[in-house]
Amino acid sequence: MKLLLLGLTTAAMFSVHGVDKSAVNPPKNRSTLPAPDPNNGGLKLVEGFSALTFADNLGKARHMAIDPTTGTVFVKLDELKNGKGIVQLRDTNGDGRADQTVTFGTYTGTGAGIYNGYLYASADTAVFRYKLTNGKVLAGAKGEPIVTGLTLQRQHASKSFAISPDGKLYVNFGAPSNACQEQDRTQGSKGQDPCPLLESYGGIWVFDANKLNQKQSDGKRYATGIRNAVALDWNTANNTLYALQHGRDMLATLYPNQYTNEQSAELPSEEFLMVKEGSDFGWPYCYYDHFQKKKVLAPEFGGDGKTEDRCAGKEKPIMAFPGHWAPNDLLFYTGGGRNAFPDRYKNGAFVCFHGSWNRAPLKQGGYFVAFIPFGSDGRPSGDYEVFAENFAGVAEPGKPGTSANAGKPNLVSPADARHRPVGLAQGPDGSLYITDSVKGTVWRITYNGKKS
C-alpha cells in the first residue's frame, strides 16, 4: 500500500504498502532517539538496533500505514474492537510512543496504505479511502468506495494491496481453495483441470486508485497462478510489483503414499515473486520445491513430486523459503530520515512471517521478521537474515540454535504464540514499525549503532 504526494521529488513521491518510503521534510538537526524498552519490547534484534512498544492491546492487528509528514500510524484490525476496525495512533509528546488513539471504520480486513493524500483501507469485500487532513482522518469521515461488491470467501479472503506511483491499485484475490480439487482438502479428490477459480481468483487484479465504485469486472487480471499473496509491495528502485505467496497445504495428509510428514512440513516453498503483467506462477497445477530448485506438477494433476510437465514453463520465484511460514507483509526499505538504518538496508526487503499451522507433527516455523538484501537488478543479492525474532515467546525456528530459543519449549500451535508479526511500515524518520495479530502490539525499531 503506497503513496504519491504532489510537489515531492521522484524519489520521495510515495509510500509503498502503506509505508512511508521516503524522508519527507526530516528535521535538520538529529534529535535524540526515543528510549527503547529495557528488553526491546520482548524482541531479539540484530546488534545495533533497539525496539520500544509504540502501542499495545489494539486488537487483532493486520497491515498498517504511516502518514509521511506527521508520522500518524493507521492500523487495520481483523476483528472489530468497540465496533471499529481502524486505529489511528499519534505520538504528540515526542517520546516515540503513541499517546493519542482514535478509532473509526466499521469493517474488518487487512490492507492499509497511503496515496495522494488519502488513507486506503480494505475489507474482505472492498477497498475504501479516507481524506487526510494534517495527516489525520477527521471525526465522522466516511470511507469512499474504490473497489466494492466483491464476493466474501471463507478462505484467503483478505484484500491486501499495493499502489504504484502512477496510481494503479494492485489487489490480491486469494483463491478460496487449497489446490482446486473437485472436493477441497479431500483425500483422493482430483484437481479441476482447467481450474475455474482462476477466472476470478488466484491472482492479482489492477484497478485505478483514483476512481470510485469499481467492480472486479472494471479491473484487469494483472498476474495469475498465485494461491494467496497477503504480502505485496511496490519497489521504487526498479518500479516493479513484488509479492510473497502462501503455498498449498496438506501434501502428506492428502497423499500419504507420496509424501512424508517431513516433506509436507517443508513443501511447498513459500515463494518470493517478482510480478510483471501477464505473469503466471502456476497455482494450482504446480508448486515450487526449493530442494530441487524447480516447479513440479501437483499431485492433484498427476504429479509425483519430481515431474515438471507443464510446470517447466511457469515463472519461478526470486527466492524461496521453507513451507508454511506464512509471509504476511513485505516492505522495501528506502532509508532517509534522522533515524535511518545503515546503507546496507536501503532498497532491501523486510518480510513478516506470521507463522505456520501446517507443519505438524513437526515443529512450527516462521514467527519472525527477515531482511533480504537486494541488488541493482531487483533480485536478492544474498540469503535472508533473521532481523527480529522472539515474537512467539517460545522456541521458534528462525535460524536453528539462536539464543532466543534457548531453554524454551517448542511451539506446537499458533494458539500458543504470545505474538505473531503481521504488518510492516517505515516511518518518516526511517524507523521500522511491526504489528502483531495476537494482542495488537506495535513495535518501533530504531538503529542506535555506529553508522557505516
Side-chain angles (χ1 to χ4, degrees):
M1 311 93 329
K2 319 341 183 196
L3 110 167
L4 180 64
L5 294 176
L6 300 178
L8 298 180
T9 64
T10 301
M13 270 186 145
F14 65 97
S15 152
V16 179
H17 179 90
V19 174
D20 174 35
K21 296 288 190 171
S22 59
V24 182
N25 299 326
K28 294 182 179 180
N29 298 316
R30 181 181 176 87
S31 64
T32 302
L33 287 172
D37 293 343
N39 65 344
N40 287 326
L43 303 183
K44 176 178 171 55
L45 304 170
V46 171
E47 184 177 357
F49 290 87
S50 299
L52 58 82
T53 302
F54 179 76
D56 207 0
N57 298 311
L58 299 181
K60 295 184 180 297
R62 297 290 284 179
H63 289 172
M64 64 181 145
I66 300 181
D67 178 70
T69 54
T70 64
T72 304
V73 176
F74 299 92
V75 179
K76 195 72 190 70
L77 301 182
D78 199 38
E79 186 175 284
L80 295 180
K81 188 170 183 179
N82 298 323
K84 304 298 182 183
I86 305 174
V87 184
Q88 176 177 283
L89 302 165
R90 300 184 68 219
D91 169 19
T92 63
N93 60 12
D95 68 351
R97 296 163 173 81
D99 52 58
Q100 186 181 95
T101 302
V102 175
T103 59
F104 59 97
T106 57
Y107 53 91
T108 61
T110 291
I114 292 176
Y115 168 75
N116 201 23
Y118 287 88
L119 168 71
Y120 285 68
S122 70
D124 290 346
T125 58
V127 180
F128 302 93
R129 73 176 184 182
Y130 299 82
K131 181 68 176 176
L132 293 175
T133 303
N134 296 323
K136 298 181 293 183
V137 174
L138 299 181
K142 302 295 183 182
E144 298 178 328
I146 299 298
V147 181
T148 189
L150 307 179
T151 303
L152 180 63
Q153 298 294 334
R154 295 181 63 184
Q155 297 182 64
H156 312 142
S158 64
K159 297 301 182 287
S160 51
F161 60 83
I163 306 177
S164 62
D166 59 354
K168 291 185 174 64
L169 171 68
Y170 299 88
V171 181
N172 167 54
F173 281 74
S177 172
N178 179 40
C180 204
Q181 291 174 280
E182 293 173 354
Q183 293 180 290
D184 193 34
R185 301 179 187 267
T186 301
Q187 191 174 120
S189 180
K190 294 181 179 180
Q192 301 178 73
D193 193 359
C195 176
L197 294 175
L198 292 175
E199 292 298 317
S200 302
Y201 303 99
I204 295 169
W205 267 249
V206 60
F207 301 88
D208 184 344
N210 298 295
K211 186 178 179 181
L212 301 181
N213 296 309
Q214 296 168 89
K215 307 293 185 183
Q216 185 174 4
S217 58
D218 295 316
K220 178 181 179 181
R221 184 168 58 184
Y222 187 76
T224 191
I226 304 173
R227 179 173 176 264
N228 188 31
V230 182
L232 293 168
D233 199 10
W234 186 270
N235 185 357
T236 59
N238 65 344
N239 207 35
T240 301
L241 180 68
Y242 289 79
L244 284 100
Q245 175 173 222
H246 285 209
R248 53 85 49 80
D249 302 318
M250 305 173 71
L251 285 172
T253 302
L254 299 177
Y255 299 92
N257 295 330
Q258 291 183 233
Y259 297 90
T260 65
N261 286 330
E262 288 76 14
Q263 289 175 310
S264 191
E266 295 294 328
L267 295 173
S269 312
E270 304 284 46
E271 300 180 50
F272 196 165
L273 310 174
M274 180 190 290
V275 185
K276 301 290 184 68
E277 186 171 3
S279 293
D280 183 353
F281 295 97
W283 182 91
Y285 314 114
C286 315
Y287 67 83
Y288 190 74
D289 183 323
H290 54 282
F291 299 110
Q292 301 183 71
K293 293 182 171 54
K294 65 181 183 180
K295 288 213 164 175
V296 298
L297 191 64
E300 289 82 3
F301 300 91
D304 58 5
K306 297 179 181 179
T307 300
E308 291 181 84
D309 196 66
R310 71 180 86 175
C311 304
K314 302 301 182 182
E315 295 190 48
K316 294 181 179 180
I318 58 173
M319 179 175 274
F321 302 91
H324 318 298
W325 280 5
N328 266 19
D329 209 356
L330 168 66
L331 166 69
F332 283 96
Y333 186 82
T334 58
R338 65 188 185 277
N339 295 326
F341 292 1
D343 289 344
R344 71 176 299 267
Y345 289 94
K346 188 173 182 179
N347 297 326
F350 287 95
V351 176
C352 254
F353 288 105
H354 193 224
S356 63
W357 67 270
N358 191 233
R359 294 175 66 92
L362 276 69
K363 296 178 182 178
Q364 300 304 309
Y367 305 93
F368 68 95
V369 174
F371 172 75
I372 301 114
F374 264 62
S376 58
D377 62 352
R379 294 176 179 271
S381 59
D383 200 0
Y384 79 90
E385 307 163 11
V386 176
F387 178 78
E389 58 182 332
N390 200 38
F391 292 90
V394 293
E396 47 186 298
K399 289 183 178 177
T402 54
S403 59
N405 291 339
K408 295 178 181 177
N410 289 327
L411 184 65
V412 176
S413 164
D416 299 328
R418 184 179 303 160
H419 298 287
R420 301 180 72 188
V422 65
L424 295 164
Q426 181 184 327
D429 67 340
S431 296
L432 180 70
Y433 292 73
I434 303 171
T435 60
D436 149 59
S437 67
V438 179
K439 290 184 175 181
T441 303
V442 179
W443 294 272
R444 179 187 180 191
I445 298 177
T446 56
Y447 181 72
N448 58 3
K450 184 177 180 181
K451 295 278 185 175
S452 58

